[in-house]
Amino acid sequence: MILKINEFTGMIGREALSGTILFGPGKPPFGKDDFEPFLVERALEKIINTYVDPSLRDFAYSVFYAEETSPGAVAEEALTAPFLAEKRVILVRNVHVYMAMGSGKRSPLAPLLTFVENPPEHALLLLVSPSVNKIKQLYKACVKSGLVVESPQLDNASYGAWIRDQVAEKDKKINPGGVALLMDRVGFKMDEMYNAITMVCNFAGDTKVINEDHVRAASGDVAEASVWAMADAIAASNPA
C-alpha cells in the first residue's frame, strides 16, 4: 500500500499500523522537491510517542543507520521479542543503501526481505529512505506486505495552511501578507520555516496577529531559488 504523508500521520494512534513502514520520496508539486524530511520526522515522533513508553525506551526502541548495520542485524533485532513492552520499534535511516543490494537467496538483504513479508505482531520496523528504486525487491516488498509513505514537499496552498497552523499553536494568527512574505524569505525547507516561525512569534511578543513587519524584522532572507526558478529566469533572459 502507498499513502501520502499527511494521510498517514492522521492514522497514527487511530488505526493499526503495518509491521513495516517505508518513508520515502513522492511525486512533488511543480517546482518542489520530492522528499521533505521534516514531515517524516514529525510522523516518526508521533509513532514513537504512541507506541513506546518513555520508561521502556531502552528496551523497546532501537535506531540504526543502514551504512553501519547489516540488513540481517536489523532483522534479528526486529524479530527479538520486546522486554516488558508490547511493541519493539526499530528505526533504520538511510535505507537507500539497502536499496542498492541484490535480492537473491544469498544476498545480505534476504533476512530483511523475509521479515518484511511476514513480520511478527510485536515488531514495528520504520525505514527512512530519501531516495528509492521502485524496481528493487525491498521497495516492492514494502508496497505488497507493508506500507510506503510518500513525503514530497507541499504545494503552496498546503504549505501556507501549515504555516498558519504552526502560528496558531503559539496562540497567534498571521495575515496573508505575512504568510506570503515568510514563504518568499524562508523558502520551502520546513525545518527552516519552523525555526523562522518561532523567531517571528517570539519577536511579536504579546501581539496576537503577525504581519509583514514582524516577518521582515525577525526572519532571515534565506530562501534558496529552485532549479525551476533559475530555468524560468534563463528563458526570460533575466540575468539578475
Side-chain angles (χ1 to χ4, degrees):
M1 180 183 294
I2 301 175
L3 290 177
K4 296 297 184 183
I5 186 75
N6 288 342
E7 182 181 1
F8 169 76
T9 303
M11 293 170 46
I12 301 172
R14 297 181 180 180
E15 301 181 27
L17 300 182
S18 298
T20 302
I21 304 171
L22 171 64
F23 295 90
K27 184 178 180 180
F30 178 78
K32 306 297 187 297
D33 290 338
D34 64 359
F35 185 65
E36 177 47 75
F38 185 90
L39 294 175
V40 173
E41 294 304 320
R42 281 293 181 90
L44 292 173
E45 181 181 350
K46 189 173 181 180
I47 291 171
I48 294 163
N49 289 339
T50 300
Y51 289 96
V52 182
D53 187 321
S55 65
L56 300 175
R57 183 160 293 195
D58 290 343
F59 303 102
Y61 175 58
S62 304
V63 181
F64 299 103
Y65 290 84
E67 64 269 33
E68 300 173 355
T69 309
S70 70
V74 171
E76 182 178 359
E77 178 77 7
L79 289 168
T80 303
F83 180 64
L84 299 176
E86 293 184 6
K87 284 279 187 184
R88 178 179 293 279
V89 179
I90 303 95
L91 170 61
V92 187
R93 298 186 180 276
N94 302 333
V95 172
H96 58 283
V97 173
Y98 293 165
M99 291 277 179
M101 297 179 177
S103 56
K105 292 183 179 180
R106 296 185 178 181
S107 168
L109 194 60
L112 187 60
L113 289 173
T114 299
F115 171 89
V116 172
E117 291 166 358
N118 188 27
E121 291 187 2
H122 70 254
L124 180 55
L125 178 61
L126 309 173
L127 307 175
V128 179
S129 184
S131 62
V132 297
N133 187 335
K134 294 184 179 181
I135 68 172
K136 291 293 187 176
Q137 192 60 35
L138 178 57
Y139 180 86
K140 291 180 178 180
C142 290
V143 172
K144 180 180 178 180
S145 303
L147 176 64
V148 173
V149 178
E150 296 182 338
S151 180
Q153 286 186 331
L154 302 177
D155 59 36
N156 287 11
S158 299
Y159 193 41
W162 178 81
I163 291 171
R164 290 190 292 273
D165 288 344
Q166 300 308 303
V167 173
E169 287 184 3
K170 300 181 183 300
D171 197 29
K172 296 183 186 297
K173 295 181 179 181
I174 183 169
N175 69 11
V179 172
L181 187 57
L182 267 175
M183 292 168 65
D184 183 61
R185 290 175 66 86
V186 179
F188 280 81
K189 292 185 177 180
M190 295 179 78
D191 56 343
E192 294 180 358
M193 180 60 76
Y194 183 79
N195 292 336
I197 290 170
T198 300
M199 289 189 292
V200 170
C201 288
N202 288 341
F203 175 81
D206 295 332
T207 303
K208 290 298 184 180
V209 179
I210 304 297
N211 59 35
E212 296 93 318
D213 291 337
H214 299 117
V215 173
R216 290 191 189 93
S219 70
D221 192 353
V222 297
E224 295 181 3
S226 72
V227 66
W228 303 106
M230 183 172 67
D232 289 344
I234 292 171
S237 299
N238 182 355

